[in-house]
Amino acid sequence: MNAKGTVFRYGDNVDTDVIIPARYLNTSNGKELAAHCMEDIDVNFVKEVKEGDIIVADKNFGCGSSREHAPLAIKEAGVSCVIARTFARIFYRNAINIGLPILECEAAADGISKGDVVEVNFDTGVITNVTKGESYQGQPFPTFMQEIIQKGGLVNKIKAQR
């Protein structure tokens, strides 16, 4: 599994209320949620994001409520991966459950800027900043987590088994 895209960069404590504002939580339709993803922190995000792009943030990304809508909105917006110094634990689990790859890597959070092109190798955990010619070592996903993500998350896996 690999990802490559242009970076959208955010700071500390990006909470689920700015990832997907509560006023849009009357639906669980991923495409509808994606249309409002990040709009309270970055009004241009939905206009500029392209399939495969990557979000990089500082610490405590996804803090706040435990809604699964937040990682779903990010995934459905086309984001291939979120890299942060740290994630809120419930966001981390929700992201894996819906099939959104996320990596914690302090060095990458320090070295990557908005607009950089970044490649991620999920097998090795290597994050390469193509723009700056730098690499950072993140924690690779265990095989079982890669399988969950590749199948679109646990939610899709459970639906497929029914």
Side-chain angles (χ1 to χ4, degrees), residues 23-109:
R23 62 189 173 273
Y24 302 114
L25 296 180
N26 57 351
T27 183
S28 58
N29 179 293
K31 292 297 178 196
E32 288 180 40
L33 294 170
H36 302 285
C37 186
M38 309 301 278
E39 75 180 24
D40 282 358
I41 193 172
D42 183 353
V43 70
N44 293 317
F45 178 81
V46 293
K47 298 173 196 164
E48 296 174 358
V49 69
K50 294 178 190 67
E51 193 71 30
D53 283 347
I54 295 171
I55 290 175
V56 177
D58 290 320
K59 64 183 178 188
N60 205 26
F61 187 87
C63 59
S65 70
S66 61
R67 61 180 67 132
E68 292 176 347
H69 296 74
L72 181 60
I74 291 170
K75 180 181 175 183
E76 291 295 324
V79 172
S80 64
C81 178
V82 180
I83 301 166
R85 184 179 312 275
T86 61
F87 290 93
R89 292 295 104 192
I90 192 71
F91 180 88
Y92 188 94
R93 183 63 189 179
N94 283 339
I96 299 303
N97 284 347
I98 62 99
L100 174 66
I102 59 177
L103 291 169
E104 288 185 340
C105 184
E106 201 168 312

